[in-house]
């Protein structure tokens, strides 16, 4: 028959040992988790510039091959930091926390903008990372633009909890491929963004369809989230674009 003191002491020691083992496991696994997150980020960036067959094994060398420069910008389009060395995942731009910077932006505090520059098939491509809100949680992605910032080279979208078959369709090639070749400025140079149109881009006047894509059927709120994310993000980079067009 065990005493209450013995049972309490035994339980306390068991809890302490379990907590210590969990803490040790978390500490040992953290570098692997960070590496996996970095690889996912690289795959998204490379996907937006149409680099194919990127996987966990080749993501880092391909990222360091195609991404030639990374910039940190301020809201006025000034370059705060320029990084051209390798490994590119060590660049200040790569380590920027978009959630934190978006919070600062919405609370009228100083914030930073990351910008990636790729060279592919002899072309210079600008890649802008994005973070927004879908129906059930965060959505994010990248939009790649030609060197004059007018035409979309490609996009990449992902989500945390959108409904498969509905809002989750934003990360399918069927949705993403619509963006290729679209433009974010009109012929007079006015910013238009890319409109995600409920009911289809055919609802737009013919001369406006170059600025629109079809919304996800049954995913209206997620489509609206993508539309807002694109517009809000691209507007933040307009000062830099105007300086470098």
């Amino acid at each position: 028959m065990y005493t209450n003191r013995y049972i309490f002491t035994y339980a306390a020691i068991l809890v302490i040992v379990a907590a210590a083992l969990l803490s040790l496991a978390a500490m040992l696994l953290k570098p692997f988790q960070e590496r996996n997150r970095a690889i996912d980020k690289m795959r998204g960036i490379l996907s937006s510039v149409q680099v194919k067959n990127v996987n966990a094994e080749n993501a880092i060398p391909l990222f360091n091959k195609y991404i030639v420069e990374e910039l940190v910008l301020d809201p006025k389009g000034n370059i705060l930091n320029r990084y051209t060395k390798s490994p590119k995942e060590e660049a200040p731009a790569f380590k920027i926390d978009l959630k934190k910077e978006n919070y600062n932006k919405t609370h009228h505090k100083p914030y930073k903008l990351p910008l990636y520059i790729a060279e592919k098939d002899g072309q210079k491509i600008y890649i802008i990372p994005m973070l927004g809100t879908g129906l059930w949680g965060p959505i994010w992605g990248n939009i790649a633009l030609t060197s004059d910032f007018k035409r979309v080279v490609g996009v990449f979208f992902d989500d945390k909890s959108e409904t498969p078959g509905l809002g989750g369709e934003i990360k399918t090639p069927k949705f993403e491929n619509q963006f290729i070749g679209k433009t974010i400025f009109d012929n007079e140079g006015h910013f238009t963004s890319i409109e995600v149109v409920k009911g289809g881009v055919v609802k737009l006047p013919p001369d406006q369809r170059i600025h629109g894509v079809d919304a996800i059927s049954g995913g209206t709120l997620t489509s609206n989230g993508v539309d807002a994310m694109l517009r809000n993000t691209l507007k933040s980079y307009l000062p830099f674009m105007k300086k470098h067009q």
Side-chain angles (χ1 to χ4, degrees), residues 115-216:
L115 181 65
Y116 304 95
I117 302 175
E119 283 185 2
K120 182 172 180 285
D121 301 327
Q123 301 295 318
K124 185 176 183 179
I125 303 170
Y126 288 96
I127 306 148
I128 296 174
M130 305 177 287
L131 176 65
T133 304
L135 174 60
W136 301 112
I139 56 176
W140 60 90
N142 301 286
I143 181 168
L145 302 169
T146 51
S147 58
D148 59 3
F149 301 103
K150 292 181 179 177
R151 187 173 59 84
V152 178
V153 174
V155 297
F156 167 84
F157 295 116
D158 205 349
D159 69 87
K160 184 177 182 180
S161 51
E162 299 307 300
T163 307
L166 298 175
E169 291 295 295
I170 62 170
K171 56 190 174 189
T172 62
K174 180 181 178 181
F175 181 69
E176 293 177 335
N177 289 343
Q178 296 183 89
F179 288 81
I180 299 174
K182 299 294 182 177
T183 63
I184 67 170
F185 292 99
D186 64 18
N187 292 333
E188 285 71 44
H190 300 128
F191 174 64
T192 63
S193 187
I194 304 294
E195 184 178 357
V196 183
V197 186
K198 182 181 179 181
V201 71
V202 293
K203 296 181 68 174
L204 295 176
D207 64 336
Q208 297 298 313
R209 294 175 189 173
I210 194 66
H211 309 301
V213 299
D214 297 345
I216 297 292

Side-chain angles (χ1 to χ4, degrees), residues 72-141:
V72 178
L73 312 176
D74 70 12
K76 294 182 179 179
N78 299 313
I79 298 174
L80 302 177
N81 183 278
R82 184 189 300 271
Y83 190 92
T84 58
K85 302 176 183 176
S86 291
K88 298 294 192 310
E89 62 269 27
E90 296 299 325
F94 192 82
K95 295 181 178 180
I96 282 182
D97 182 346
L98 285 183
K99 183 178 179 180
K100 174 185 174 184
E101 300 305 329
N102 281 356
Y103 175 87
N104 289 339
K105 178 183 173 183
T106 55
H107 287 76
H108 308 292
K109 297 180 179 179
Y111 62 94
K112 299 175 182 176
L113 299 166
L115 181 65
Y116 304 95
I117 302 175
E119 283 185 2
K120 182 172 180 285
D121 301 327
Q123 301 295 318
K124 185 176 183 179
I125 303 170
Y126 288 96
I127 306 148
I128 296 174
M130 305 177 287
L131 176 65
T133 304
L135 174 60
W136 301 112
I139 56 176
W140 60 90

